[in-house]
Amino acid sequence: MPATRSARAPTRRQALAEAPISKHTGIALNTQRPTASLKSTFAVTKHSTDLVGKTKTKPTLFVATKSVLSRATSAPQIIGREAEQTAIRGFLRASVEQGRGGSMYVSGNPGTGKTACLQSLIKQSSASFTSVLVNCVPLTQPGQVYAAILRALNIETRADTALSELEQHTQHAKTPFLVILDEVDSLLGSRQEVLYRLFELAAQPNTRLALIGIANALDLTDRFLPRLQARNCEPLLLNFNPYNVTDITNILQSRLDAVCTEPVIQRAALELCARKVAATSGDLRKALDVCRHAMELAEAEHKKRQDDKENPNVVVMPRVSIMHVAKALSALSGSQAVQKLDALNFQQKLVLYAHVQVVASNTQDKRALGLAVSALYAEYRVVCGRLNMLAPVTRSEFLDLVAMMEMQGVVAVEALKNGRWGGRRATGCPGAADDRALRLLVDESDVRRALSNTPALAPIL
């Protein structure tokens, strides 16, 4: 497969997302087993009608419906994404299904179905190959990345010898293997040499390795991996656009139809949820959260109404209306500032956390002056060391993070007023940014709330 080909969805837009913080896992995907139906997963009790025309339904149906609306539940089928599925199938046929190497970079907003679509198509493949998924976020050293891949393949290794062993395995493996690197953009900075080496291994003649990197930055290869183009190992590019109203509605309806033929959630309520989510982020996970919360509201309202009845044995299944969805949207969406902060990726939230740490020790008058970018970068490096989770990005990459936050309306970067302030100076980091200051454009209380919802930062906030 020529390394410079590119397959893209129609519209490209800049995407940022929070990197999930969890220990890495290597998950072997069974390539022979088709996607399981949700109908076989949840036991649903049938309903009946009594003499007065009221429906008696056991609570298992409502519980099952909430279960299929969970983020952790796999969809019965992939709805939409025809162009993306075609591109992924083509990549699999041309690479790992033929026993050849190759690489692909999949980008897109969070909740756009990148990982789900990949895993579904891998399960549908009839070819014989091994596939593993590795989360790159908690891997702080280059050797850990190579070791994590080998361990996911059930090959015991040490970090200091993992690279040479992986190189040998790519050439001599009995069966071809596909490595999926999730949150691959977290390898930037001091670990970015790992990306060069992995993409090079996937482009070598007679390699048995096919590589797919999943991330949220659209321009990773253009900004951080220029050497890939020079070495003719640039990956195939594929972007997942945010879900539109029709896609979100159809996906939600397909999940509901998998366990119940009756409309537990009114169609108009589903469409309201889809319109609001598509207008803000196109994140399917948020639509699932809204529907689950709306069901909880309807359930609580129904229970209260049932307690007031003279005959508590008559059970009418609660229905989710537009009112319930509207309340759920209001409760989960919050202000526009909160939505902007929730859309930041993990590295950008580390920048905000460093800002919170520095300003906490200064007076309100000094805060109005803005925080010197050099002082913020120095604090950011301290925070990364304290977390011991990922290496700090370089200074130029840090400035890129700040510039993207400025474009999102979270911060403003401007000339310093009345001199610099800040707790630390970054050693050996002179430059124009020293004469610039960063100022928050959102409320500090909203920042703290967003950081507290980030599992890795909540304990130290």
Side-chain angles (χ1 to χ4, degrees), residues 170-390:
T170 59
Q171 296 294 320
H172 304 294
K174 292 181 179 179
T175 57
F177 62 102
L178 171 67
V179 174
I180 303 172
L181 298 177
D182 203 6
E183 305 297 342
V184 70
D185 46 353
S186 67
L187 295 179
L188 299 175
S190 63
R191 296 169 297 168
Q192 111 177 16
E193 185 63 33
V194 174
L195 287 181
Y196 290 124
R197 192 66 192 124
L198 289 174
F199 280 111
E200 288 169 0
L201 287 175
Q204 287 181 351
N206 303 319
T207 185
R208 306 286 274 170
L209 165 66
L211 181 69
I212 297 180
I214 305 177
N216 305 297
L218 296 179
D219 55 352
L220 176 73
T221 54
D222 297 332
R223 292 173 55 215
F224 300 108
L225 302 177
R227 283 164 52 185
L228 290 182
Q229 296 175 342
R231 301 188 182 197
N232 197 29
C233 56
E234 183 180 7
L236 189 71
L237 303 179
L238 178 63
N239 178 53
F240 278 62
N241 291 317
Y243 281 114
N244 58 35
V245 177
T246 304
D247 287 338
I248 294 175
T249 304
N250 291 339
I251 291 170
L252 294 176
Q253 189 64 60
S254 72
R255 289 191 172 223
L256 295 175
D257 291 344
V259 293
C260 182
T261 56
E262 289 197 6
V264 178
I265 302 179
Q266 295 176 358
R267 180 73 180 187
L270 276 185
E271 292 175 351
L272 172 64
C273 172
R275 284 198 304 272
K276 292 295 186 181
V277 172
T280 55
S281 63
D283 186 343
L284 179 63
R285 300 172 306 174
K286 183 176 180 182
L288 293 172
D289 290 343
V290 169
C291 288
R292 276 179 60 86
H293 189 55
M295 291 190 72
E296 290 167 357
L297 293 174
E299 194 173 23
E301 182 182 279
H302 170 70
K303 186 177 184 304
K304 182 179 179 182
R305 197 166 53 239
Q306 185 183 24
D307 291 342
D308 294 338
K309 289 183 178 180
E310 295 181 1
N311 185 5
N313 294 322
V314 177
V315 180
V316 180
M317 191 174 78
R319 293 285 187 269
V320 177
S321 65
I322 291 180
M323 178 192 68
H324 298 126
V325 169
K327 287 182 179 179
L329 283 165
S330 177
L332 295 177
S333 296
S335 65
Q336 288 188 352
V338 172
Q339 293 178 32
K340 289 179 182 179
L341 294 169
D342 287 340
L344 297 179
N345 64 28
F346 184 65
Q347 286 281 7
Q348 291 171 318
K349 289 185 178 181
L350 285 181
V351 176
L352 288 181
Y353 177 76
H355 189 282
V356 168
Q357 292 296 101
V358 175
V359 300
S361 58
N362 289 273
T363 64
Q364 186 67 36
D365 292 338
K366 284 186 176 181
R367 295 182 196 185
L369 300 177
L371 172 61
V373 173
S374 59
L376 183 60
Y377 179 59
E379 182 66 28
Y380 159 83
R381 291 177 63 87
V382 171
V383 170
C384 288
R386 189 184 311 161
L387 286 175
N388 194 28
M389 183 176 297
L390 71 170

Side-chain angles (χ1 to χ4, degrees), residues 133-153:
L133 174 67
V134 176
N135 190 329
C136 299
V137 172
L139 307 177
T140 59
Q141 300 298 326
Q144 293 178 352
V145 181
Y146 305 125
I149 294 173
L150 288 172
R151 287 172 186 145
L153 294 166

Side-chain angles (χ1 to χ4, degrees), residues 11 22 29 112 133 209 236 242 284 365 398 435 445:
T11 306
S22 62
L29 301 176
T112 53
L133 174 67
L209 165 66
L236 189 71
L284 179 63
D365 292 338
F398 179 83
D435 299 322
S445 60

